[in-house]
Amino acid sequence: MTAPRRKAATAPVPAKQGRAPAARAGGGAGEIRIIGGLWKRTRLPVADRPGLRPTPDRVRETLFNWLGQDLSGWRCIDAFAGTGALGLEAASRGAAQVVLVEQDAALAAQLETLRQRLGAEAVRVQRGDGVAALRAAAPGSLHLALIDPPFAHDDLFAPALAAAARALAPDGFIYLEAPAACTPEAIAPLGLELHRHLKAGAVHAHLLRPVPAAATAGSVA
């Protein structure tokens, strides 16, 4: 996989933590849609679950504009899948392998039903812990790691990010959705740099990538 390399963005000052707005809902549940690719406009149900916070359409659209519309051959993991919106967007755009990891049994079952309905052969649903799934990934094996835990579980962000950094291919990306902006000082020890950043309401969307080997060598020298 060859992804475009653009100048890294400057990280803003950390924002106050908060909850993202809920998805469009009726009676606590609703639906969102896949934005692009093979399954464009496919509706995804949004269950009434505490902490379930689908990535807003605007943010998903921006993310896949950053990544490029064709993800052919990419190996991806959506570590806290929820509705599956992020991972299914990647699969819809040609990703070769997408693992949807979800702890909640009912949500995992819903994802499997959706996978079968779409005939999504490149997608695998795995019930379990997102951090453990990232830690189990082989070093250098992932082109895209999608990290979007419930904002209330702030203890998940650091271990998930560290595990994803270890599993990332040299030309891969990590998408991190968080209630506060990520600083260069926080990710530099993991060998990561900020490539893109977007704030939408209470959501901070980050696209991170490994620091180029040449830059690392230069800093050591």
Side-chain angles (χ1 to χ4, degrees):
M1 178 203 76
T2 301
R5 294 301 195 189
R6 288 167 283 187
K7 187 176 180 180
T10 301
V13 176
K16 194 173 184 179
Q17 288 200 2
R19 293 298 298 271
R24 179 171 54 85
E31 64 181 27
I32 56 176
R33 298 189 183 196
I34 294 176
I35 294 170
L38 180 63
W39 304 315
K40 184 177 181 179
R41 298 190 183 90
T42 297
R43 298 179 180 184
L44 307 177
V46 178
D48 185 6
R49 287 286 189 279
L52 184 61
R53 178 188 37 78
T55 300
D57 287 358
R58 173 196 165 194
V59 176
R60 279 187 289 128
E61 183 174 15
T62 300
L63 169 61
F64 287 93
N65 284 337
W66 288 343
L67 293 170
Q69 301 302 317
D70 184 1
L71 273 57
S72 296
W74 289 34
R75 296 184 301 274
C76 314
I77 184 170
D78 188 349
F80 304 90
T83 64
L86 288 170
L88 290 172
E89 283 282 358
S92 182
R93 296 162 195 261
Q97 177 183 310
V98 179
V99 181
L100 304 178
V101 184
E102 175 52 51
Q103 185 90 319
D104 185 283
L107 289 178
Q110 181 175 280
L111 289 171
E112 178 59 27
T113 298
L114 182 58
R115 185 198 70 78
Q116 294 181 23
R117 177 164 67 86
L118 292 172
E121 297 296 330
V123 176
R124 177 167 61 88
V125 177
Q126 176 178 320
R127 186 189 170 199
D129 176 72
V131 174
L134 287 166
R135 286 173 175 163
S141 64
L142 297 176
H143 296 117
L144 178 62
L146 299 157
I147 301 176
D148 179 18
F151 282 2
H153 294 273
D154 56 5
D155 58 324
L156 295 174
F157 289 90
L161 196 54
R166 172 186 166 276
L168 202 62
D171 56 352
F173 292 96
I174 295 173
Y175 171 72
L176 173 67
E177 194 168 307
C182 193
T183 65
E185 293 76 17
I187 59 175
L190 300 175
L192 299 171
E193 65 181 12
L194 181 63
H195 184 56
R196 291 286 187 269
H197 172 264
L198 167 71
K199 184 179 186 296
V203 172
H204 285 264
H206 312 79
L207 191 61
L208 312 176
R209 66 181 183 183
V211 176
T216 306
S219 64
V220 172

